[in-house]
Amino acid sequence: PAEQPVQAELLAALRGVVSSGTGTRGRTVCTTGGKTGTATAGEGPTTRVSSSWFTGITPKQIANRTRQLRASSGIDFVLVDYLQRLTLAEKDTREQTVAAAARDFADLSKEIDACVLVLAQLNRGLDAREDKMPRLTDLRESGALEQETDGVMFLHRPAALDPKANPRQAFFRLAKARFGTIGDVEIEFDPGPTRFIPKTGTDTQLSGGESTW
């Protein structure tokens, strides 16, 4: 499949992910694969982004590409968009198939010593529930994902489901944290650049304070 150019918005967003962390500046952020671009912002450091838009790519192909980037330039962050769109090795059940893929990405994260963030779909059970805040059980193949991942995060924007809701209101939910605490934080949705930002005057500490370990 032909690669598409890296979008400036994606580059800028991923630059923010790396530059806000503790990793080495100017190293590579990988999003499933091949084309490389550069993002800059003001006087800050540059972030090299390698990105491809393939249909049917496998976790093994992503891992191989990630290892190549790690060997050539180092790597700080891997984003997979999204799990259910990948071509997965078939097991006896769909849950076992997804569990194997999640385990592969968890192993890759340990091998490269970097965060691997895998996006995933929600099931339709949420549509029939009065409370629309996502839960672990709303993940497709939720049992497998909950068991194999170190953390699960949700972004929830009420206006996406209710046109009468505040269009800027949003919530960040850390639903699982193997080595930390879980909880919710109210944040703000900025529709211009399509980004989520801290809400002015809001405590950014998680509201739950409960450990999942």
Side-chain angles (χ1 to χ4, degrees):
E3 294 180 348
Q4 298 177 1
V6 178
Q7 299 296 317
E9 294 85 353
L10 174 63
L11 289 167
L14 293 180
R15 179 195 174 279
V17 169
V18 175
S19 62
S20 64
T22 58
T24 301
R25 303 297 189 266
R27 289 169 61 184
T28 299
V29 177
C30 175
T31 72
T32 68
K35 185 177 287 294
T36 299
T38 301
T40 61
E43 299 300 323
T46 62
T47 296
R48 298 179 63 251
V49 176
S50 177
S51 178
S52 284
W53 308 90
F54 292 128
T55 298
I57 194 171
T58 68
K60 183 177 181 180
Q61 289 173 317
I62 293 173
N64 289 339
R65 177 59 178 159
T66 301
R67 293 185 186 103
Q68 292 172 359
L69 291 170
R70 181 171 181 264
S72 63
S73 60
I75 194 165
D76 288 303
F77 180 75
V78 178
L79 172 65
V80 179
D81 181 10
Y82 55 93
L83 180 63
Q84 284 83 3
R85 196 177 182 184
L86 302 179
T87 297
L88 306 179
E90 292 294 333
K91 305 294 182 182
D92 291 339
T93 67
R94 176 63 182 176
E95 185 162 297
Q96 290 175 351
T97 298
V98 171
R103 198 155 45 240
D104 287 343
F105 286 124
D107 291 343
L108 176 63
S109 178
K110 294 174 184 176
E111 177 186 339
I112 66 174
D113 191 25
C115 174
V116 177
L117 178 62
V118 182
L119 305 187
Q121 289 181 322
L122 300 181
N123 59 44
R124 296 191 177 277
L126 183 147
D127 294 337
R129 198 173 64 233
E130 184 174 351
D131 177 13
K132 304 298 185 182
M133 180 72 84
R135 307 170 183 171
L136 286 173
T137 52
D138 293 323
L139 284 169
R140 287 191 177 181
E141 299 89 28
S142 59
L145 294 176
E146 182 179 355
Q147 179 179 349
E148 299 298 338
T149 58
D150 288 333
V152 178
M153 300 173 287
F154 295 109
L155 287 171
H156 173 56
R157 192 163 63 88
L161 300 171
D162 180 5
K164 297 180 181 179
N166 181 349
R168 298 186 68 94
Q169 184 183 43
F171 296 89
F172 169 84
R173 166 166 287 184
L174 184 57
K176 177 186 176 181
R178 190 182 298 276
F179 304 108
T181 59
I182 61 174
D184 302 333
V185 175
E186 185 173 359
I187 56 178
E188 189 171 342
F189 176 67
D190 184 359
T194 315
R195 63 177 181 173
F196 294 91
I197 58 177
K199 183 179 179 182
T200 304
T202 300
D203 186 358
T204 56
Q205 296 298 313
L206 294 173
S207 62
E210 176 187 350
S211 175
T212 60
W213 178 246

